[in-house]
Amino acid sequence: MAQSSTRREHRTNRRALRATLRRRTAETRATQRAVRAVATGTPQPARTQLVAAGLDDATAKRFAGAFSRGLVADDVRETTIKLKGRVRKAVAVKLYAARTFAARLATYRPKDVVVAARFEALAGVAV
């Protein structure tokens, strides 16, 4: 790492390093939580299944809706989401069993070429 010439640069560098460490810790914890949830054998949401399969949380969140579109859910759970202010709303969350998830993962490919390659790699590992 290069030596910082000013105190301001040093603080900026340390702040960036702390942010990187926080992000990596959060990603690791999210992955571990998803793997534990999937290991229970109970149906899980598409995002949890994608994270447990090896996709990062941000990408899983981005593609979970399209991944599960048109797929018949194995189970449905109700959860609350926060809207503006103090308003909350109950919404249904579709849950998928491991077999249903694996079947969808084998066929689903996003239009984004880079992400499609990642999904293809996940499907290769899951099979």
Side-chain angles (χ1 to χ4, degrees):
M1 209 181 305
Q3 186 71 355
S4 300
S5 60
T6 65
R7 181 168 288 183
R8 176 176 291 167
E9 289 174 356
H10 178 73
R11 277 195 317 255
T12 304
N13 188 31
R14 297 303 299 174
R15 188 177 300 121
L17 290 172
R18 285 193 307 271
T20 301
L21 188 59
R22 277 194 309 272
R23 190 185 70 251
R24 286 181 185 166
T25 303
E27 287 173 1
T28 301
R29 286 180 181 157
T31 303
Q32 290 172 343
R33 196 169 36 249
V35 168
R36 279 194 308 268
V38 169
T40 63
T42 59
Q44 297 295 324
R47 179 177 172 185
T48 303
Q49 295 272 13
L50 289 170
V51 171
L55 213 57
D56 63 288
D57 193 45
T59 307
K61 182 178 181 179
R62 178 179 169 198
F63 288 99
F67 183 86
S68 61
R69 191 170 297 126
L71 192 59
V72 177
D74 295 316
D75 197 7
V76 178
R77 174 178 69 198
E78 194 171 280
T79 188
T80 58
I81 59 170
K82 185 179 179 299
L83 301 175
K84 286 187 177 181
R86 294 184 179 179
V87 179
R88 295 186 178 275
K89 180 181 180 182
V91 294
V93 177
K94 295 190 269 184
L95 305 175
Y96 305 98
R99 186 173 277 184
T100 309
F101 172 75
R104 179 63 171 157
L105 187 59
T107 60
Y108 177 73
R109 296 295 176 269
K111 289 181 182 176
D112 185 344
V113 178
V114 175
V115 181
R118 291 177 67 188
F119 271 90
E120 188 171 346
L122 286 177
V125 172
V127 172

